[in-house]
């Protein structure tokens, strides 16, 4: 039996010798490669935190002490050493989450998978323990150097540093290419010196003297720029944190368990806020990951463990790739178009644009709020910025969309990738809120393309708008077949017309089906199922769902029932907006809105999730047939069942 099989909880780690820890680290890496290669997941980051995680759980007493992760995708090793060895269904229905999960273990404290938040959680925990008199408990926040590019992290650091007596240990997992670490007796001596109260008094004296000397301009820029590039680019990184009033230990070799333990014990014993700077390698111990120049296997689909090559080839173009290729074409035609990403150049498809137009591409780090307001500045400066971002991450910058872009009528285009149900990454990554949140933004226009051709067309339509923000949203994964229109009413595409005048111009009928974006295929299938029951229906794609096309209420008035389909929350979404538009137009026709219920959706395949919540053609058809039957039953004898228009 290997050592890993004997580890059922953190206490089992504490009796291991240094030699055994080395063996265990190797077994964990073998386990990760074998398991994640089968299911897919965040492989590279977890290969890089093995020794760091072992050291954390040997020094601190979880869950009595709180160990928090930012972001949570680097918590696989934490799951393993807290007794969760069944990775057979990682990120799949009924299996382990790809992030910390309170439902899985008492050791999982927060479920964060949006970056730069952990230090605020840590600040709150430390304050709560202090108020409650729990002075024997520690808070440990593990944050990647990338997450430190987010402004929220620096807001939290400012607050943490203000309390000298609250024990918060901040472990910076610096996993970019690193310079040679300073190790040996001198480094240990300096670390000890920095965490003594005498040194703290010296720093307070120095800070008071220096505080009377204005520090502006280039030095401030150097600090912020250094944070963006990564801590390893500082000759003396401790200066940054000590200027904030935080003690600094490091840099420490994050793959030397003994060094990590020594550093963490010093930090634990200090009694106040301390930074432990750990240098790690993403993909450590697995050559295919280390040799991957793009992202060192940050996240993978199932792969061959021996080679790292994908098991299944993509079955077709992805939504993201369609956008990526069109952006390059647009860039060649318009030199005013620029691209913005929040540290996700490749995932959101801006890498091709960046390769072609590097001077017109801006990676702002994990800083969505800054990205949006910077985009507003670019627009006011005469350019048309395209901010490509996951739909769920735009939630973080709503105020900037509202007050900085919309209020100033800025021509900024937001391209929302991973809109709708995304599945495997769990509740935080589903893009199911944008069409509700953005409904309240005056002047904003929102498009939901149904296929690749519409992505290209509607991106260009959005870029033609220079007096308001525009949004183009699309799904994750492979784009489906083209869904051709058979007619046009106002700005809406007619996709299907059943009944005697099939595929006509929407003269009227029993049911008007309004399908939003990728729900087009479901809308057409529903229409065919209804036709089998003798129910005449019209299927339209509004294309631009905000504002509501003025022709839509008129078309609704010629039907007995309106059905809306959207891969967004039912609360305040497109269905709600259409219902309001119908009321404003005096159209008294019943409307059934089908969308995502107001709940957090656990990880599973998108298809499984849609089936569970009833957002599929079969379940919706049954409900619509029942609703039509009820309307017919409510019609008085001898009177034609026709809505009031």
């Amino acid at each position: 039996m290997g050592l890993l099989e004997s580890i059922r909880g953190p206490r089992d780690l504490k009796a291991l010798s240094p030699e055994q820890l080395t063996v265990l680290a190797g077994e964990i890496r073998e386990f990760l490669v074998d398991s994640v290669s089968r299911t897919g997941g965040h492989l590279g980051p977890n290969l890089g935190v093995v020794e760091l995680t072992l050291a954390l759980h040997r020094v601190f007493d979880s869950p009595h002490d709180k160990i928090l992760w930012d972001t949570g995708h680097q918590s696989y090793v934490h799951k393993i050493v807290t007794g969760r060895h069944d990775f057979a269904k990682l990120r799949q229905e009924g299996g382990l989450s790809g992030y910390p999960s309170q439902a899985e273990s008492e050791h999982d404290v927060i479920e964060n998978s949006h970056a730069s938040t952990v230090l605020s959680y840590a600040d709150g925990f430390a304050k709560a323990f202090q108020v409650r008199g729990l002075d024997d408990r520690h808070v440990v926040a593990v944050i990647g150097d990338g997450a430190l590019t987010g402004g929220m992290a620096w807001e939290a650091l400012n607050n943490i540093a203000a309390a000298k007596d609250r024990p918060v240990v901040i472990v910076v997992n610096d996993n970019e290419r690193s310079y040679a670490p300073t190790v040996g007796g001198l480094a240990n001596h300096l670390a000890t010196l920095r965490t003594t109260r005498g040194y703290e008094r010296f720093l307070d004296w120095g800070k008071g003297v220096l505080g009377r000397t204005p520090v502006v301009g280039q030095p401030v820029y150097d600090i912020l720029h250094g944070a963006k590039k990564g801590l390893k680019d500082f000759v003396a990184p401790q200066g940054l944190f000590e200027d904030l009033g935080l003690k600094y230990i490091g840099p420490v070799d994050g793959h030397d368990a003994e060094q990590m333990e020594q550093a963490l014990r010093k930090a634990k014993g200090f009694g106040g806020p301390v930074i432990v700077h750990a240098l790690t390698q993403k993909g450590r111990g697995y050559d295919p990951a280390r040799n991957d120049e793009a992202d060192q296997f940050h996240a993978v689909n199932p792969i061959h463990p021996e080679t790292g090559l994908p098991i299944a080839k993509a079955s077709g173009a992805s939504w993201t790739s369609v956008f990526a290729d069109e952006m390059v074409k647009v860039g060649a035609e318009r030199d005013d178009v620029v691209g913005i990403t929040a540290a996700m150049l490749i995932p959101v498809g801006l890498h091709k644009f960046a390769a072609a137009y590097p001077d017109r591409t801006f990676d702002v780090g994990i800083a969505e709020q800054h990205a949006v307001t910077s985009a507003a500045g670019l627009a006011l400066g005469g350019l048309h910025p395209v901010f490509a971002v996951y739909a769920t991450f735009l939630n973080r910058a709503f105020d900037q969309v509202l007050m900085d872009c919309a209020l100033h009528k800025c021509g900024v285009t937001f391209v929302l990738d991973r809109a709708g149900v995304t599945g495997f990454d769990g509740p935080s990554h589903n893009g199911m809120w944008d069409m509700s949140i953005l409904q309240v933004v005056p002047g904003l226009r929102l498009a939901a393309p149904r296929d690749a051709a519409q992505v290209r067309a509607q991106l260009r339509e959005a870029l033609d708008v220079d007096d308001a923000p525009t949004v183009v949203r699309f799904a994750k994964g492979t784009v489906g077949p083209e869904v051709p229109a058979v007619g046009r009413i106002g700005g809406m595409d007619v996709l299907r017309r059943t009944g005697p005048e099939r595929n006509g111009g929407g003269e009227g009928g029993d049911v008007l089906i309004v399908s939003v974006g990728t729900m087009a295929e479901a809308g057409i299938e529903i229409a065919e199922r209804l036709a089998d029951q003798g129910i005449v229906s019209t299927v339209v794609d509004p294309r631009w769902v905000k504002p509501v096309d003025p022709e839509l209420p008129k078309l609704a008035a010629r039907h007995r029932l309106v059905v809306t389909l959207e891969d967004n929350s039912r609360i305040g979404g497109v269905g709600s907006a259409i219902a309001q538009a119908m009321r404003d137009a005096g159209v008294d026709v019943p409307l059934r809105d089908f969308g995502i219920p107001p709940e957090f959706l656990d990880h599973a395949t998108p298809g499984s999730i849609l089936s569970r919540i009833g957002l599929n053609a079969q379940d919706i058809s049954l409900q619509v047939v029942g609703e039509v039957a009820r309307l017919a039953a409510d019609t008085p004898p001898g009177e034609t069942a026709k809505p009031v228009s």
Side-chain angles (χ1 to χ4, degrees):
M1 182 176 73
L3 274 174
L4 179 55
E5 296 176 52
S6 68
I7 305 300
R8 313 313 299 181
R11 291 185 180 179
D12 295 329
L13 297 173
K14 298 184 187 295
L16 298 182
S17 68
E19 293 76 20
Q20 288 176 311
L21 284 175
T22 300
V23 172
L24 178 61
E27 291 182 8
I28 289 174
R29 286 194 169 91
E30 290 178 6
F31 176 86
L32 286 171
V33 171
D34 180 67
S35 299
V36 181
S37 67
R38 299 172 191 271
T39 63
H42 289 91
L43 181 56
N46 285 285
L47 290 171
V49 297
V50 176
E51 291 85 1
L52 187 155
T53 306
L54 296 177
L56 281 169
H57 279 288
R58 279 167 61 88
V59 172
F60 295 96
D61 182 20
S62 174
H64 182 77
D65 296 326
K66 302 303 179 185
I67 300 177
L68 318 174
W69 301 88
D70 193 346
T71 59
H73 65 241
Q74 60 185 327
S75 65
Y76 291 9
V77 184
H78 164 81
K79 288 175 182 273
I80 292 169
V81 301
T82 52
R84 287 164 281 177
H85 293 190
D86 185 1
F87 273 50
K89 298 178 70 177
L90 176 69
R91 301 167 67 244
Q92 299 172 20
E93 190 170 9
L96 293 177
S97 168
Y99 295 89
S101 169
Q102 292 177 343
E104 286 180 13
S105 172
E106 63 180 346
H107 297 280
D108 291 4
V109 185
I110 56 175
E111 303 189 8
N112 66 320
S113 51
H114 288 199
S116 310
T117 62
V118 75
L119 299 184
S120 296
Y121 280 114
D123 179 57
F125 266 112
K127 288 173 178 173
F129 291 160
Q130 185 177 63
V131 170
R132 295 172 60 199
L134 304 176
D135 55 5
D136 64 333
R137 308 181 76 169
H138 291 81
V139 181
V140 184
V142 183
I143 183 168
D145 59 310
L148 278 174
T149 62
M152 189 174 173
W154 292 92
E155 294 171 21
L157 278 173
N158 185 49
N159 280 270
I160 290 171
K164 310 297 185 185
D165 58 344
R166 284 201 287 264
V168 177
V169 176
I170 301 167
V171 179
V172 177
N173 175 27
D174 189 348
N175 62 13
E176 292 186 330
R177 287 174 295 183
S178 59
Y179 55 89
T182 304
V183 295
L186 177 59
N188 290 336
H189 173 73
L190 291 175
T192 302
L193 178 63
R194 291 189 192 104
T195 53
T196 62
R197 291 298 182 183
Y199 185 66
E200 181 185 35
R201 289 193 295 271
F202 171 79
L203 277 181
D204 286 342
W205 171 83
K207 188 174 183 180
V209 173
L210 293 174
R212 294 191 289 272
T213 304
V215 181
V216 295
Q218 190 64 35
V220 174
Y221 172 82
D222 289 342
I223 288 176
L224 296 176
H225 188 64
K228 177 180 183 295
K229 291 174 65 180
L231 298 173
K232 76 284 178 193
D233 291 331
F234 281 92
V235 175
Q238 67 269 21
L240 169 63
F241 297 109
E242 290 177 346
D243 284 348
L244 289 171
L246 295 163
K247 303 296 124 351
Y248 173 92
I249 298 174
V252 182
D253 182 352
H255 300 299
D256 185 321
E258 289 187 83
Q259 272 198 42
M260 279 304 309
E261 283 190 45
Q262 189 176 38
L264 290 171
R265 292 190 191 282
K266 289 173 181 172
K268 180 180 180 180
F270 177 57
V274 185
I275 294 273
V276 177
H277 179 193
L279 302 177
T280 64
Q281 293 179 335
K282 185 184 284 188
R284 174 84 170 191
Y286 184 46
D287 287 343
R290 292 296 302 151
N291 296 330
D292 178 47
E293 294 184 3
D295 62 6
Q296 294 171 327
F297 282 22
H298 177 81
V300 297
N301 290 319
I303 58 174
H304 294 285
E306 299 83 5
T307 63
L309 296 175
I311 290 176
K313 294 184 178 180
S315 57
S318 67
W319 292 91
T320 306
S321 68
V322 172
F323 160 70
D325 292 340
E326 194 65 17
M327 271 295 288
V328 174
K329 295 177 182 178
V330 168
E333 300 167 16
R334 292 182 51 172
D335 59 9
D336 65 320
V337 172
V338 298
I340 303 175
T341 176
M344 303 193 77
L345 190 70
I346 295 175
V348 298
L350 276 179
H351 56 297
K352 294 183 179 180
F353 185 87
Y357 311 106
D359 294 339
R360 289 157 54 190
T361 307
F362 306 99
D363 186 343
V364 302
I366 304 176
E368 292 86 358
Q369 291 175 305
H370 165 71
V372 174
T373 304
S374 177
L378 286 163
L380 292 171
L383 301 176
H384 194 116
V386 176
F387 178 28
V389 62
Y390 283 9
T392 183
F393 294 152
L394 189 66
N395 299 351
R396 314 182 81 184
F398 172 76
D399 183 69
Q400 286 70 31
V401 173
L402 179 68
M403 291 299 175
D404 299 332
C405 286
L407 178 64
H408 294 90
K409 297 181 171 59
C410 293
V412 175
T413 295
F414 300 96
V415 173
L416 305 189
D417 201 323
R418 273 71 165 174
V421 173
T422 58
F424 297 112
D425 283 324
S428 64
H429 276 57
N430 290 309
M432 53 181 277
W433 295 284
D434 56 286
M435 290 196 293
S436 297
I437 293 172
L438 297 174
Q439 287 291 341
V440 303
V441 179
L444 180 141
R445 308 175 197 187
L446 196 156
R450 65 180 180 268
D451 57 23
Q454 289 300 308
V455 170
R456 300 183 190 101
Q458 293 189 270
L459 174 64
R460 289 176 177 270
E461 291 170 23
L463 290 170
D464 286 339
V465 177
D466 61 5
D467 61 351
T470 52
V471 176
V472 180
R473 76 187 304 265
F474 49 75
K476 176 183 180 180
T478 303
V479 64
E482 183 175 347
V483 182
V486 299
R488 176 65 72 95
I489 301 175
M492 301 178 293
D493 282 344
V494 180
L495 303 183
R496 188 72 87 248
R497 166 78 180 164
T498 64
E501 56 285 305
R502 286 177 66 91
N503 297 338
E507 292 83 355
D510 297 312
V511 181
L512 172 62
I513 301 172
V514 183
S515 64
V516 175
T518 56
M519 299 301 294
E521 291 186 71
I524 293 170
E525 183 180 343
I526 291 167
E528 299 298 340
R529 288 173 176 267
L530 297 182
D532 292 341
Q533 303 296 318
I535 299 172
V536 177
S537 60
T538 307
V539 183
V540 297
D541 170 13
R543 301 183 72 249
W544 289 87
V545 299
K546 176 177 163 43
V548 175
D549 193 304
E551 293 298 316
L552 203 157
K554 299 176 186 178
L555 182 60
R558 300 197 291 272
H559 291 76
R560 300 171 61 195
L561 174 68
V562 176
V563 172
T564 63
L565 314 174
E566 59 187 301
D567 55 349
N568 181 81
S569 174
R570 292 179 62 232
I571 308 300
V574 177
S576 296
I578 291 173
Q580 181 174 330
M582 290 168 57
R583 290 194 299 271
D584 291 346
V587 176
D588 186 17
V589 176
L591 182 146
R592 286 294 308 273
D593 54 336
F594 292 92
I596 301 172
E599 63 184 62
F600 292 110
L601 305 173
D602 288 336
H603 56 279
T605 64
S608 174
I609 293 173
L610 293 175
S611 293
R612 183 181 67 77
I613 63 177
L615 195 57
N616 58 57
Q618 179 176 342
D619 289 343
I620 294 172
S621 297
L622 288 173
Q623 294 190 56
V624 173
V625 169
E627 187 70 14
V628 171
R630 187 188 65 78
L631 290 172
D634 290 344
T635 303
E639 186 174 313
T640 303
K642 184 178 180 181
V644 177
S645 61

